[in-house]
Amino acid sequence: MADIEEVNLDRGRFKVVTKNTSKKRLIVVLEGAQLEVVKVNDKFELLNCDDHVDILRQSQRDPATVRPDITLQTLTMLYDSPLHRAGYLQVFVHTEKDVLIEVNQETLIPRTFKGFAPLIVKLLNEGEVRSKEDPSLKLLSVIKNPISDHLPVGCKRYALSAAGKPLKNLRDLVPKEEEPVVIVMGTYAFGNLTTDLTEEFFSVSSYPLAANDVCSRLATAFADAWGVF
């Protein structure tokens, strides 16, 4: 299976996630992820704009609105960050089809779309992906909506969007106290972010940015503020 394949391939890649008991934590919600399963010749595949152009045209859908690769790019950027390795990062993925996914800190995100796609197909079809080395460990899980039920009570919540209020320094979103904070951001190529988690929207640039670039800036800002090197 692809999950074991990726874990084995990644053994040479240094990755240690520290168990952290601190209350401070960056919780990232990747909103509007375009993750959808399609059946092709008796086989389930992750719908995408490269492999399924004919299917999308038949259903009169714009291929530019089916970009699961953006979710892979953002997850890779976040999980490769020192902030994640220091144990200060938690990630949820909320899909365009209203499926809520929790990503375990121990998950090794596949480096390629070929490795990522079958994992997501398995997840969406079965509701979970477990580690084959430790079957008790859920690497990816479909959990019950709404996401607010899974967030710390009373924590600050912000959203990042090109249409938001200009914010010159992302460190301004870092809580002054040792407490968690939620950041919501979109994972699609076009369109404005909509979320009912917060009414505070901020823009981190005068220009539209790729989601993985925003993730990089976000993780770096929080790592700097929290002294993670």
Side-chain angles (χ1 to χ4, degrees):
M1 292 294 293
D3 49 342
I4 288 298
E5 210 169 71
E6 287 296 333
V7 170
N8 288 339
L9 287 173
D10 279 347
R11 287 203 179 276
R13 184 165 60 92
F14 177 77
K15 177 177 173 141
V16 175
V17 179
T18 302
K19 297 291 184 182
N20 224 308
T21 58
S22 170
K23 291 183 179 179
K24 61 187 178 186
R25 183 171 25 130
L26 172 61
I27 303 170
V28 177
V29 178
L30 301 179
E31 182 63 54
Q34 294 162 341
L35 304 177
E36 183 179 344
V37 174
V38 64
K39 195 172 185 180
V40 181
N41 298 326
D42 296 326
K43 181 182 177 183
F44 291 107
E45 298 179 3
L46 185 61
L47 187 66
N48 66 85
C49 61
D50 293 319
D51 300 325
H52 306 114
V53 175
D54 290 339
I55 293 175
L56 295 172
R57 284 176 179 166
Q58 288 170 12
S59 57
Q60 298 184 330
R61 296 175 64 177
D62 182 356
T65 64
V66 186
R67 294 285 308 280
D69 57 297
I70 295 177
T71 302
L72 170 59
Q73 292 165 11
T74 54
L75 284 172
T76 301
M77 184 64 70
L78 288 169
Y79 270 58
D80 276 352
S81 70
L83 188 73
H84 167 246
R85 293 175 180 175
Y88 290 121
L89 180 69
Q90 182 177 5
V91 179
F92 294 95
V93 179
H94 187 214
T95 78
E96 196 175 44
K97 299 295 183 180
D98 199 29
V99 177
L100 183 59
I101 300 166
E102 182 175 12
V103 186
N104 192 296
Q105 280 193 321
E106 300 299 319
T107 304
L108 280 171
I109 304 300
R111 314 305 294 175
T112 66
F113 187 77
K114 185 178 179 180
F116 177 71
L119 281 183
I120 300 302
V121 169
K122 180 179 175 66
L123 171 67
L124 295 178
N125 281 346
E126 301 179 13
E128 62 183 30
V129 174
R130 292 179 180 266
S131 168
K132 288 196 174 181
E133 295 179 349
D134 179 5
S136 67
L137 179 63
K138 291 184 181 181
L139 300 176
L140 300 164
S141 307
V142 173
I143 57 177
K144 189 176 179 180
N145 278 301
I147 190 171
S148 54
D149 289 349
H150 306 277
L151 301 177
V153 176
C155 68
K156 293 288 187 181
R157 303 175 184 180
Y158 307 106
L160 301 182
S161 169
K165 183 168 57 177
L167 180 70
K168 291 186 178 180
N169 193 339
L170 273 167
R171 290 184 64 168
D172 292 341
L173 300 184
V174 180
K176 292 182 173 58
E177 303 297 328
E178 192 169 286
E179 59 188 19
V181 59
V182 176
I183 304 291
V184 186
M185 55 172 292
T187 50
Y188 35 81
F190 304 102
N192 293 323
L193 173 66
T194 58
T195 177
D196 57 5
L197 283 178
T198 179
E199 295 182 354
E200 294 192 78
F201 286 72
F202 293 99
S203 172
V204 298
S205 175
S206 302
Y207 307 96
L209 299 176
N212 59 332
D213 187 9
V214 176
C215 285
S216 176
R217 295 180 183 216
L218 184 63
T220 298
F222 273 76
D224 288 347
W226 287 341
V228 177
F229 298 99

